[in-house]
Amino acid sequence: MATTSRKHTHPLRTLVILGLVIVALFTMIGFSGVWSPKLGLDLRGGTTITLTASNVTGSGTVDPASLELARTIIQQRVDSIGVGESEVTTSGDRQIVVSVPNVQRDELVRMVGQTAQLYFRKVYAAEASTGGATQPSATASAQPTTEPSASPSATPNKRPMPGLPTPVPSPRPTAPSGQTTALADLLKWTPSDRDNSEFAAFQCDQPSPTPDVTDQPLITCDQTKSYKYLLGPVLIRGDQVTRAIAAVPQNSVSWVVELEFNSQGAADFQAVTAHLSGQTSPQNQFGIVLDGTVISAPSVGTEYSAGIAGGKAEISGSFTQKSAQELANVLTYGALPLSFEISSVDNVSAKLGGDQLQAGIIAGLIGLALVLAYSILYYRGLALVVSLSLVVAGALTWALVVLLGTSMGFALNLPGIAGAIVAIGVTADSFIIYFERIRDEVREGRSLRTAIETGWVRSRKTIVVADSVSLLSAVVLFVLAIGAVKGFAFTLGLTTLIDLAVVFFFTKPMMTLLGRTKFFGEGHRFSGFESEHMGASNPPLHNSRRTGAVVAGGEAR
């Protein structure tokens, strides 16, 4: 027994280390400036839409690449409204779940259900934006291919841009969006003083001052928000592109994007490239715009003064395989690559979310009060260990949930709160297993100090196994579940790990220290260690300070 007790000679050191860990976690929270957990959509209010792909193949499945591409396009649309903490995820093999806080049903349905707008516009001005990182300079050159082609740079916005062109006053078009205007007239369009002044004042960290309307100019930025553009009215629509693929041409080692247009698009493209080839930079560029953002802004060389005929073109530049494929996908799937039906729309008001959060907190407090009441009635003074252990577990849970929210985007939803409430019972189970094991050891005639140590050795295996089962259940549920249920699984798994840490590094050292005190060690009344309360038939436990002997149930140690 003496050997067993000597294995735990520094319980105070363990408690100090655990305290330092908790202090470090809350110090990190202080540096982040966020003291409350990130709340899920069901608690802070918003809208969730489930979209189901309707155009499946003959095998009844959806192409995973098309589903992921659709998810990316929808994510870009949702992000464009400037609402943080939105989520667009795939579910199963044909569903996309869109969750956006503080956005009402009609607005979100319109946004995710519309066809993506892909347009080709002439660039009238382009320069670096102070609202984004400056990109390094690069020079693009045109390389003819066996097919009639334009080979502009995929990233021409990286070259130094000259100042604004001399404006020629011109009224902004007032025709309704979607109304077509003769291409020759559109090519003669020039920006007005108003357009130039708005462009000069605009930075990429600001909302665009112009809407994405086909017959009006557009002031916008590239995807990296490094360069801003003043674009003219739409010259070619995305639906005129019939094919776009990423490829490596013969006798070349660089990736390019090959385009094919329909008959009308081919004619328009020849006229546009003939016009652009005679312009100076940056007005020899055309911006490829998806949902109001410049995806690429290639230029047309002077060798194409007659335009590019045949309805085929090639965009070359500093492409990688990935970037070339991404641009080809955008050009091919300007619209969503799949047709979707809205399967469900769920609204959660901010008030309803607040009511749910309040109800969850009340339920947790009731569960906590019941555990403490049981501990006081049954374990008496040992309820101090229970309460302090729950406080430590609560502090660790709060700190980790807040830090995971700021670093990884973990949001605490209502099922997650349910998982935290369940964890109170898991933690109580660990206490009961350990305390009851100590009582068994005392009934067998061991002293209190010995019972604390041997009871721990024999109970910790049971505690680890029980928590391992809970942890395994949480992992399996997290892998197989979808949507908000993952929050329950994640929180349950996290709190189970915290329970193991608290039992090993707080509850056990605290019991060892209390066993050395007079009130607990000598089995005073209401300590929870009195022999009659623990079922021992012999006189109460006590420590003899004069002899150093410990007597329990008549057995000398």
Side-chain angles (χ1 to χ4, degrees):
M1 297 302 178
T3 302
T4 301
S5 62
R6 282 197 296 269
K7 292 181 181 179
H8 302 274
T9 56
H10 303 290
L12 185 59
R13 179 189 301 174
T14 303
L15 294 175
V16 171
I17 293 174
L18 179 61
L20 292 176
V21 170
I22 295 176
V23 170
L25 291 175
F26 278 91
T27 301
M28 294 171 62
I29 292 177
F31 281 118
S32 70
V34 179
W35 291 93
S36 59
K38 177 181 177 182
L39 298 180
L41 184 73
D42 55 352
L43 295 178
R44 67 181 182 272
T47 303
T48 297
I49 294 180
T50 301
L51 304 173
T52 302
S54 58
N55 57 334
V56 297
T57 63
S59 60
T61 59
V62 173
D63 178 24
S66 298
L67 190 66
E68 177 59 26
L69 179 58
R71 188 206 65 79
T72 301
I73 293 174
I74 293 175
Q75 180 74 67
Q76 292 173 347
R77 295 182 191 175
V78 171
D79 291 343
S80 68
I81 63 176
V83 178
E85 304 177 5
S86 60
E87 293 183 358
V88 181
T89 58
T90 56
S91 177
D93 61 352
R94 68 184 63 190
Q95 287 188 329
I96 294 179
V97 179
V98 184
S99 300
V100 183
N102 304 319
V103 175
Q104 294 306 309
R105 179 184 187 279
D106 294 341
E107 182 181 358
L108 188 58
V109 169
R110 176 187 56 78
M111 180 177 299
V112 303
Q114 69 180 357
T115 300
Q117 303 299 315
L118 178 66
Y119 298 128
F120 292 72
R121 296 172 178 261
K122 179 181 176 180
V123 176
Y124 283 88
E127 64 182 42
S129 169
T130 58
T134 302
Q135 298 186 19
S137 300
T139 301
S141 60
Q143 299 293 334
T145 63
T146 56
E147 299 280 357
S149 63
S151 47
S153 168
T155 55
N157 51 346
K158 295 182 180 179
R159 73 164 66 86
M161 298 299 180
L164 293 173
T166 303
V168 178
S170 170
R172 180 170 295 178
T174 57
S177 174
Q179 178 177 332
T180 59
T181 305
L183 183 60
D185 294 335
L186 292 175
L187 292 174
K188 295 177 183 178
W189 185 90
T190 54
S192 66
D193 291 338
R194 172 185 169 186
D195 299 325
N196 287 321
S197 62
E198 288 179 341
F199 174 75
F202 172 70
Q203 297 300 333
C204 288
D205 57 356
Q206 303 170 351
S208 173
T210 58
D212 188 8
V213 180
T214 59
D215 57 358
Q216 295 184 15
L218 176 66
I219 298 175
T220 186
C221 295
D222 64 352
Q223 289 180 302
T224 63
K225 296 187 180 299
S226 300
Y227 272 79
K228 60 179 181 177
Y229 294 87
L230 171 58
L231 307 173
V234 171
L235 302 175
I236 303 173
R237 300 186 312 275
D239 57 11
Q240 293 176 292
V241 177
T242 59
R243 182 171 177 264
I245 61 171
V248 179
Q250 293 182 350
N251 303 322
S252 176
V253 294
S254 300
W255 283 88
V256 300
V257 177
E258 298 176 352
L259 305 179
E260 292 184 12
F261 294 89
N262 61 18
S263 58
Q264 182 61 51
D268 291 345
F269 189 71
Q270 182 177 4
V272 170
T273 52
H275 170 79
L276 294 178
S277 67
Q279 304 296 310
T280 58
S281 178
Q283 296 184 34
N284 64 341
Q285 297 173 237
F286 60 90
I288 303 174
V289 182
L290 176 67
D291 279 347
T293 300
V294 174
I295 304 301
S296 180
S299 59
V300 180
T302 56
E303 63 270 29
Y304 301 108
S305 58
I308 301 173
K312 293 183 179 181
E314 180 183 282
I315 303 177
S316 64
S318 54
F319 281 121
T320 63
Q321 180 180 0
K322 181 180 179 181
S323 62
Q325 187 62 58
E326 288 177 349
L327 179 57
N329 287 339
V330 168
L331 294 171
T332 303
Y333 302 116
L336 292 177
L338 298 169
S339 296
F340 288 92
E341 295 178 352
I342 298 178
S343 302
S344 64
V345 180
D346 299 318
N347 285 330
V348 178
S349 67
K351 183 180 185 304
L352 179 58
D355 292 341
Q356 291 176 332
L357 178 59
Q358 183 180 8
I361 293 175
I362 292 175
L365 292 176
I366 292 174
L368 182 62
L370 291 175
V371 170
L372 292 177
Y374 173 81
S375 301
I376 293 172
L377 291 174
Y378 196 70
Y379 292 112
R380 300 184 181 181
L382 291 179
L384 175 66
V385 180
V386 175
S387 59
L388 290 178
S389 296
L390 288 173
V391 169
V392 172
L396 287 172
T397 302
W398 184 273
L400 291 176
V401 169
V402 172
L403 291 175
L404 288 173
T406 56
S407 62
M408 300 177 57
F410 170 69
L412 185 64
N413 55 13
L414 194 60
I417 292 178
I421 295 173
V422 171
I424 297 175
V426 174
T427 304
D429 286 342
S430 300
F431 299 145
I432 293 173
I433 291 172
Y434 184 25
F435 293 163
E436 291 300 316
R437 188 67 239 186
I438 293 176
R439 296 178 67 174
D440 290 342
E441 296 293 314
V442 170
R443 293 189 190 102
E444 292 177 5
R446 292 181 174 84
S447 67
L448 177 60
R449 289 189 181 183
T450 303
I452 289 175
E453 301 303 328
T454 59
W456 169 248
V457 171
R458 296 180 180 181
S459 64
R460 67 186 177 190
K461 296 179 182 178
T462 305
I463 294 173
V464 170
V465 170
D467 282 352
S468 298
V469 171
S470 296
L471 185 60
L472 180 61
S473 300
V475 171
V476 172
L477 185 60
F478 184 83
V479 172
L480 298 180
I482 61 174
V485 180
K486 284 182 176 290
F488 172 83
F490 183 87
T491 308
L492 179 61
L494 177 65
T495 50
T496 300
L497 291 175
I498 291 174
D499 173 59
L500 284 172
V502 170
V503 169
F504 273 79
F505 302 113
F506 182 83
T507 305
K508 169 54 181 60
M510 180 61 68
M511 288 294 297
T512 300
L513 289 178
L514 292 180
R516 298 173 183 177
T517 64
K518 181 177 180 181
F519 178 74
F520 287 95
E522 295 184 1
H524 282 249
R525 188 180 181 187
F526 301 122
S527 67
F529 283 147
E530 56 269 35
S531 57
E532 61 272 13
H533 179 67
M534 293 197 297
S537 57
N538 293 312
L541 300 167
H542 67 275
N543 295 332
S544 174
R545 295 181 181 272
R546 290 179 298 174
T547 63
V550 180
V551 181
E555 180 183 356
R557 300 294 179 192

